[in-house]
Amino acid sequence: MTGKTILLDLDIVAVSSSAAAEKRFYSVNGQRFKTKKEMKAVLGVVPEEEIERIVEPEPLSHARQMARVLVQSILDACAPLRDYRGYLSGPDNFRYKIATLKPYKGNRDRSEEPTWRKDVEEWLLKEYPVERTQGYEADDRLAVEFTKDTKNTILA
């Protein structure tokens, strides 16, 4: 049998394709800026409470198409392949329970979550051979699966 088995961490696919399917702006007194850096260059320092974050999502179909293109480009880059499987992180990640000094991923602003992320995850689960992990992250599962046959497996 030729080719390798490709193991895909689809968390990044869901996040990046969803984020690419929306436009984000910052607004202060009706003036729109693409970035906070641009805003600061024009207005100087602006108190956070005066900044309005605006998110304009494109249709869900755009996020799905971007996810499809991204998955296919990974598979094409790894060809020839014998098989492929994707993984998405599920709930109840053990790291949240054992992080005692600082919250696990506590530096991430959950309000910045892309609009279509959960919808793209559900679509990936239906469209591809994908498993949602339970109690740990997708990349943990990839590592476990990779160690079963390191010579014939590619992590993506």
Side-chain angles (χ1 to χ4, degrees):
M1 188 179 286
T2 63
K4 296 191 177 206
T5 298
I6 313 304
L7 302 176
L8 301 157
D9 182 340
L10 294 176
D11 288 342
I12 188 108
V13 170
V15 170
S16 61
S17 61
S18 300
E22 62 187 24
K23 294 179 180 122
R24 290 176 179 253
F25 302 95
Y26 298 94
S27 177
V28 177
N29 298 325
Q31 278 187 280
R32 275 189 169 196
F33 303 94
K34 288 184 180 180
T35 65
K36 282 189 174 181
K37 185 177 180 181
E38 176 189 0
M39 180 182 63
K40 187 175 180 180
V42 174
L43 301 176
V45 176
V46 178
E48 281 296 318
E49 60 273 6
E50 293 180 24
I51 301 169
E52 180 186 4
R53 286 183 34 254
I54 301 167
V55 178
E56 296 176 350
E58 295 176 6
L60 173 57
S61 61
H62 292 197
R64 288 178 178 170
Q65 179 61 19
M66 288 182 218
R68 178 181 286 113
V69 167
L70 185 52
V71 168
Q72 192 59 54
S73 67
I74 293 167
L75 296 176
D76 290 347
C78 296
L81 56 105
R82 174 181 48 200
D83 189 18
Y84 71 96
R85 293 187 303 281
Y87 298 94
L88 286 165
S89 295
D92 302 323
N93 183 337
F94 75 94
R95 287 188 175 91
Y96 289 104
K97 294 175 186 136
I98 64 170
T100 56
L101 299 178
K102 293 166 96 177
Y104 180 61
K105 295 187 180 183
N107 62 326
R108 295 188 179 176
D109 183 352
R110 294 294 172 204
S111 69
E112 294 287 328
E113 190 77 16
T115 304
W116 299 122
R117 179 183 180 170
K118 296 296 180 195
D119 297 278
V120 169
E121 286 180 358
E122 292 307 314
W123 176 81
L124 286 165
L125 284 162
K126 292 175 188 161
E127 190 74 13
Y128 295 99
V130 177
E131 179 184 323
R132 189 177 295 279
T133 63
Q134 297 297 320
Y136 50 90
E137 291 187 358
D139 56 357
D140 295 323
R141 180 62 183 271
L142 265 67
V144 169
E145 294 300 317
F146 178 74
T147 60
K148 293 178 181 178
D149 188 5
T150 59
K151 292 185 188 324
N152 296 301
T153 307
I154 297 173
L155 298 178

